[in-house]
Amino acid sequence: MTKTMFLPLLLLLLSAAAASTSVSTECTVSTMDDYPVPVRREVYGDGRIFDISHRYTMDMPSWERKDGLGRFLWLPASMKNGSLANNSLMKLPTHSGTHVDAPGHMIDSYFDAGFDVDTLDLEVLNGPALLVDVPRDSNITAKVMESLKIPKEVRRVLFRTLNTDRRLMFKSEYDSSYVGFTTDGARWLVKNTGIKLVGVDFLSVACEDHLVSAHLEFFESREIILVEGLKLDDVPTGIYNVHCLPLRLLGPALLVDVPRDSNITAKVMESLNIPKGVRRVLFRTLNTDRRLMFKKEFDSSYVGFTTDGARWLAKNTDIKLVGIDFLSAACYDHSVPAHLEFFEGREIILVEGLKLDNVPVGIFNVHCLPLRLLGSEGSPIRCILIK
Ligand SMILES: *[C@@H]1O[C@H](CO)[C@@H](O)[C@H](O)[C@H]1NC(C)=O
Ligand SMILES: *[C@@H]1O[C@H](CO)[C@@H](O)[C@H](O)[C@H]1NC(C)=O
Ligand SMILES: *[C@@H]1O[C@H](CO)[C@@H](O)[C@H](O)[C@H]1NC(C)=O
Ligand SMILES: *[C@@H]1O[C@H](CO)[C@@H](O)[C@H](O)[C@H]1NC(C)=O
């Protein structure tokens, strides 16, 4: 078997190029009768961050389908039916919604050779990007590309087209008259620009009449990354930092080593002396040494927070993001009560199953982007640290 290809889902953010790092963590508003209502945001920090990924819904368009994506999320284990936790199951074509293409998508030998989404360069997927408006009366031909006069040094361009005006990504029925690159448009880009990340606002970068041939122009060199199905409405044209991770942006995080002889109790938490003001901490534990995330068999003796450890963190620190190196932030014996301590305030986000081996202890920018799964209580995530 060859490796799995293509990236499933991808979440993507734009932030103003000269950004500071504080991000609001307000995640709910309270109504009069105190039923909390979640805020669903597209724009954060007063327009400093734009979420340009579409949320996954049953009615979103799917390639060549009349009736949209359809059901992709189930709740096989639910609290209403006696389970300890709600736990969704997801099944989704990898090229659904906002997504990225790897070279193996249309070049079989690249597929066989393993050019999958895991090999895509995060350097290309993260950095300054230009958002441009394309003339509305044409597909993206060589002539159109030339007319855009994109400076040579620009490496990432998001093309907003008639697709956004026509709201094609909000229609269940797939519309083959969408705008995309023609073959000569794609070739012109490859030959005459330094662009390595091409973003478009419908499911395919190539217009339907040039579907394969235009893709091949891009894939050939394996240097260009295609990001499709972007949500570019209401974003001003201009220069941003784009963060494009097969998975929301957060700021600095501290990676700490936890003593190896204990679960994460109140006492351990206290001993770590994490300064006030630190909002994101990634806890590396015995789980990493034991390589538990690399073992097939689930091991319930993993290290995690005890109930008093979780309560201590919630009460005595400013930590809003808790990262851990196994599948649960709570140790097995305190699975539910420790989670409840974290969830109660609805302010703390748990990121579980991190791969923290061989990362030096210290301060990083953590970029953690969950998929926009409407109605799901969890999501696979792509998480990276940047020094
Ligand atoms: C768990 O799932 C049920 C659906 O069975 C839902 O009504 C309930 O609100 C969920 N509970 C939580 C804590 O998310
Ligand atoms: C709970 O179980 C009942 C009976 O097995 C089933 O009909 C129902 O769909 C289940 N509900 C959820 C949310 O799983
Ligand atoms: C773009 O090309 C498609 C066919 O691939 C066509 O249906 C559509 O009308 C074209 N759009 C424009 C604006 O020319
Ligand atoms: C952590 O707690 C689990 C039970 O939840 C236990 O099996 C494990 O041995 C404990 N680990 C340490 C290092 O104390």
Side-chain angles (χ1 to χ4, degrees):
M1 281 300 289
T2 50
K3 295 190 187 175
T4 50
M5 289 303 114
F6 330 130
L7 166 80
L9 338 142
L10 170 119
L11 213 138
L12 209 137
L13 289 175
L14 287 180
S15 57
S20 78
T21 49
S22 81
V23 173
S24 164
T25 56
E26 180 212 23
C27 49
T28 56
V29 289
S30 290
T31 55
M32 302 277 278
D33 37 5
D34 210 35
Y35 269 107
V37 177
V39 177
R40 296 198 185 276
R41 282 171 295 194
E42 312 281 328
V43 180
Y44 302 71
D46 293 327
R48 208 168 51 71
I49 298 175
F50 293 90
D51 191 337
I52 56 168
S53 43
H54 284 274
R55 57 170 73 95
Y56 290 92
T57 69
M58 297 204 296
D59 314 318
M60 79 193 312
S62 190
W63 191 253
E64 293 186 330
R65 286 181 65 102
K66 270 192 137 34
D67 50 353
L69 180 61
R71 184 149 191 205
F72 62 95
L73 202 57
W74 292 262
L75 195 59
S78 93
M79 301 173 76
K80 293 232 176 16
N81 276 359
S83 291
L84 283 183
N86 286 344
N87 214 326
S88 293
L89 175 73
M90 161 174 112
K91 186 176 175 194
L92 196 60
T94 54
H95 294 257
S96 301
T98 309
H99 68 278
V100 67
D101 283 357
H105 184 33
M106 284 190 184
I107 299 183
D108 205 29
S109 59
Y110 288 172
F111 186 100
D112 290 341
F115 290 97
D116 57 18
V117 290
D118 189 41
T119 66
L120 296 178
D121 188 350
L122 291 177
E123 233 268 312
V124 173
L125 285 163
N126 293 273
L130 180 66
L131 169 62
V132 296
D133 269 303
V134 167
R136 298 316 203 230
D137 59 352
S138 164
N139 276 288
I140 311 175
T141 59
K143 219 169 118 188
V144 166
M145 275 305 300
E146 204 171 346
S147 76
L148 293 173
K149 300 202 159 51
I150 297 168
K152 266 270 184 202
E153 48 299 348
V154 173
R155 297 187 65 214
R156 304 171 193 84
V157 181
L158 313 179
F159 295 88
R160 180 165 51 201
T161 75
L162 186 62
N163 302 329
T164 292
D165 308 350
R166 295 180 66 205
R167 297 183 63 76
L168 293 187
M169 283 297 292
F170 295 92
K171 292 179 176 158
S172 295
E173 187 172 352
Y174 166 83
D175 187 332
S176 67
S177 73
Y178 68 89
V179 164
F181 278 81
T182 59
T183 309
D184 76 328
R187 187 177 309 143
W188 199 93
L189 182 149
V190 171
K191 284 227 172 103
N192 301 289
T193 76
I195 302 171
K196 298 299 173 214
L197 182 141
V198 175
V200 294
D201 52 4
F202 193 61
L203 294 171
S204 166
V205 76
C207 69
E208 176 139 310
D209 287 351
H210 297 235
L211 186 60
V212 173
S213 53
H215 268 95
L216 293 184
E217 296 287 339
F218 288 126
F219 287 143
E220 180 80 53
S221 71
R222 302 187 306 264
E223 281 188 348
I224 293 174
I225 303 182
L226 306 177
V227 181
E228 302 170 326
L230 291 172
K231 187 170 75 57
L232 299 176
D233 18 321
D234 301 325
V235 186
T237 49
I239 297 175
Y240 297 86
N241 278 310
V242 66
H243 295 270
C244 209
L245 298 165
L247 301 197
R248 271 169 175 178
L249 176 108
L250 296 162
L254 180 66
L255 171 62
V256 296
D257 269 301
V258 168
R260 297 313 202 232
D261 58 351
S262 165
N263 276 287
I264 312 176
T265 59
K267 216 169 122 191
V268 166
M269 274 306 299
E270 205 172 345
S271 77
L272 292 173
N273 289 317
I274 294 168
K276 275 267 182 194
V278 172
R279 302 182 61 217
R280 303 169 193 91
V281 180
L282 313 180
F283 295 88
R284 181 164 51 200
T285 75
L286 187 62
N287 302 331
T288 293
D289 307 352
R290 296 179 65 206
R291 297 186 60 77
L292 294 188
M293 286 297 293
F294 296 93
K295 289 180 178 155
K296 270 188 187 162
E297 189 176 350
F298 174 78
D299 186 332
S300 67
S301 74
Y302 68 87
V303 165
F305 279 81
T306 60
T307 309
D308 74 329
R311 187 181 309 139
W312 198 94
L313 181 148
K315 281 223 174 102
N316 301 290
T317 74
D318 296 322
I319 300 171
K320 300 299 175 215
L321 182 139
V322 175
I324 190 95
D325 52 3
F326 195 59
L327 294 171
S328 167
C331 72
Y332 195 69
D333 287 348
H334 296 233
S335 188
V336 173
H339 269 93
L340 294 185
E341 296 288 342
F342 287 129
F343 289 149
E344 180 81 49
R346 300 188 308 267
E347 283 190 341
I348 293 174
I349 302 179
L350 305 178
V351 181
E352 301 168 329
L354 290 173
K355 185 171 76 60
L356 299 176
D357 23 317
N358 302 325
V359 186
V361 173
I363 296 177
F364 297 87
N365 276 310
V366 63
H367 296 261
C368 271
L369 300 165
L371 306 178
R372 299 196 66 186
L373 294 172
L374 206 59
S376 176
E377 75 300 311
S379 164
I381 194 168
R382 186 76 178 263
C383 221
I384 62 170
L385 296 176
I386 301 180
K387 223 353 180 207

